[in-house]
């Protein structure tokens, strides 16, 4: 037996955390009846449907690393008919996969797509503190005083902000900044610099939970290596 939210996540639709929200919203049915309890124990004979379509657990786990270009939204589909990251990988695998976490439309860089709900939960839940490194280009040079304030930590309207590291990128103009964080607040990097009256011109995720985009051109994807999978499962 398996909890309903875990079953939905393992069908390749979304992460387990998101699956619980889908169940509570009445998007999932068991044997033709809406079931809003994520903890419902799925029986072997149960038929599970999402938005009217029968779903089954994906037995083949897929892990794709994508170097996301700008102007793509990080969703499975978009009501405004904008390009999504799924358009970049739709011919890569036959299994249903979904992006782990989000990068906003204009942010580029590393994005993992998978149908492994357990790993997705591990990589996105704040308690695991998964490290992310971004390179930021600002509309003007970052003042040393503001750099120190970001290092020390400060408050936004939704709580305290504490970065793990931040500095000028060596050999680049002083509007090019490297920042390491593990917190997962929405659009947090852009909001950090906006708080100090800087506008982010470019934002690129260089590192995510031990993964890098070395030798992966923008807009391209590749399967994770066995070594990368072991690292994510056991050491991240």
């Amino acid at each position: 037996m398996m909890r309903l939210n875990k079953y939905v996540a393992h069908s390749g639709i979304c992460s387990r955390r998101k699956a619980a929200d889908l169940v509570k919203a009445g998007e999932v049915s068991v044997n033709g009846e809406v079931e809003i309890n994520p903890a419902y124990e799925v029986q072997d004979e149960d038929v599970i449907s999402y938005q009217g379509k029968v779903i089954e657990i994906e037995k083949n786990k897929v892990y794709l690393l994508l170097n996301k270009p700008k102007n793509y939204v990080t969703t499975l589909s978009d009501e405004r008919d904008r390009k999504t990251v799924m358009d970049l990988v739709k011919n890569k695998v036959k299994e249903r996969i979904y992006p782990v976490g989000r990068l906003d439309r204009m942010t580029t860089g590393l994005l993992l797509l998978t149908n492994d709900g357990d790993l997705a939960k591990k990589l996105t839940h704040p308690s695991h503190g998964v490290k992310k490194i971004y390179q930021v280009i600002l509309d003007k040079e970052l003042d040393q005083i503001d750099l120190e304030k970001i290092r020390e930590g400060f408050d936004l309207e939704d709580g305290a902000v504490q970065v793990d590291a931040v500095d000028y990128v060596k050999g680049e103009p002083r509007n090019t900044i490297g920042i390491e964080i593990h917190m997962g607040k929405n659009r947090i990097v852009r909001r950090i610099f906006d708080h100090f009256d800087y506008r982010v011109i470019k934002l690129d995720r260089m590192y995510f939970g031990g993964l890098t985009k070395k030798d992966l051109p923008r807009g391209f994807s590749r399967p994770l290596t066995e070594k990368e999978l072991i690292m994510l499962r056991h050491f991240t």
Side-chain angles (χ1 to χ4, degrees):
M1 293 190 295
M2 180 183 293
R3 286 166 60 108
L4 183 57
N5 65 317
K6 187 174 182 179
Y7 186 100
V8 172
H10 283 201
S11 72
I13 291 173
C14 58
S15 68
R16 199 190 306 183
R17 194 175 181 185
K18 177 66 174 176
D21 294 335
L22 292 178
V23 174
K24 291 175 184 177
E27 301 279 353
V28 178
S29 299
V30 178
N31 302 323
E33 299 290 334
V34 172
E35 176 58 68
I36 61 171
N37 178 16
Y40 171 85
E41 293 285 348
V42 177
Q43 308 298 310
D44 290 342
E45 65 274 14
D46 285 341
V47 177
I48 312 300
S49 302
Y50 168 62
Q51 295 184 340
K53 295 182 179 179
V54 175
I55 57 175
E56 296 180 348
I57 291 177
E58 291 278 14
K59 295 180 174 61
N60 185 34
K61 299 300 183 188
V62 177
Y63 309 87
L64 279 186
L65 188 64
L66 171 68
N67 188 351
K68 177 190 172 297
K70 65 181 181 180
N71 284 318
Y72 283 81
V73 293
T74 309
T75 55
L76 296 178
S77 60
D78 184 66
E79 68 281 357
R80 293 161 58 184
D81 203 30
R82 295 174 296 182
K83 295 180 290 186
T84 79
V85 293
M86 305 312 296
D87 295 324
L88 296 167
V89 299
K90 60 185 177 183
N91 297 320
K92 294 283 187 178
V93 295
K94 64 181 186 297
E95 294 84 0
R96 289 181 296 187
I97 57 176
Y98 56 88
V100 177
R102 283 179 177 264
L103 292 177
D104 66 44
R105 186 170 64 91
M106 300 307 291
T107 299
T108 60
L110 282 181
L111 188 66
L112 179 65
L113 299 104
T114 185
N115 56 4
D116 187 336
D118 290 332
L119 182 63
K121 179 181 178 183
K122 180 179 181 182
L123 292 174
T124 55
H125 198 279
S127 65
H128 293 291
V130 174
K131 183 166 75 172
K132 292 157 277 191
I133 298 176
Y134 295 82
Q135 182 166 299
V136 188
I137 297 180
L138 304 173
D139 62 335
K140 56 188 175 183
E141 292 187 357
L142 179 63
D143 191 281
Q144 183 73 42
I145 294 175
D146 291 332
L147 177 65
E148 294 300 333
K149 288 178 180 177
I150 295 172
R151 278 181 179 154
E152 291 168 5
F154 60 96
D155 291 329
L156 289 174
E157 63 275 8
D158 57 347
V161 173
Q162 189 67 56
V163 305
D164 301 310
V166 61
D167 211 339
Y168 303 107
V169 175
K170 188 176 181 180
E172 298 290 339
R174 288 168 71 87
N175 70 331
T176 304
I177 310 299
I179 184 168
E180 176 187 322
I181 60 173
H182 67 268
M183 61 192 314
K185 291 179 182 288
N186 188 39
R187 302 183 85 252
I188 186 60
V189 176
R190 294 184 186 275
R191 292 169 59 209
I192 285 171
F193 292 101
D194 182 66
H195 181 76
F196 294 96
D197 198 29
Y198 297 89
R199 186 164 61 91
V200 173
I201 303 298
K202 291 183 180 180
L203 181 58
D204 188 46
R205 184 153 70 186
M206 315 285 291
Y207 179 102
F208 176 54
L211 303 172
T212 72
K213 55 191 181 70
K214 181 182 179 183
D215 300 326
L216 185 60
R218 190 87 72 213
F220 284 76
S221 61
R222 64 164 176 81
L224 291 189
T225 65
E226 190 62 34
K227 184 177 180 180
E228 288 170 330
L229 268 175
I230 292 170
M231 178 268 300
L232 285 180
R233 287 170 174 161
H234 301 290
F235 302 111
T236 296

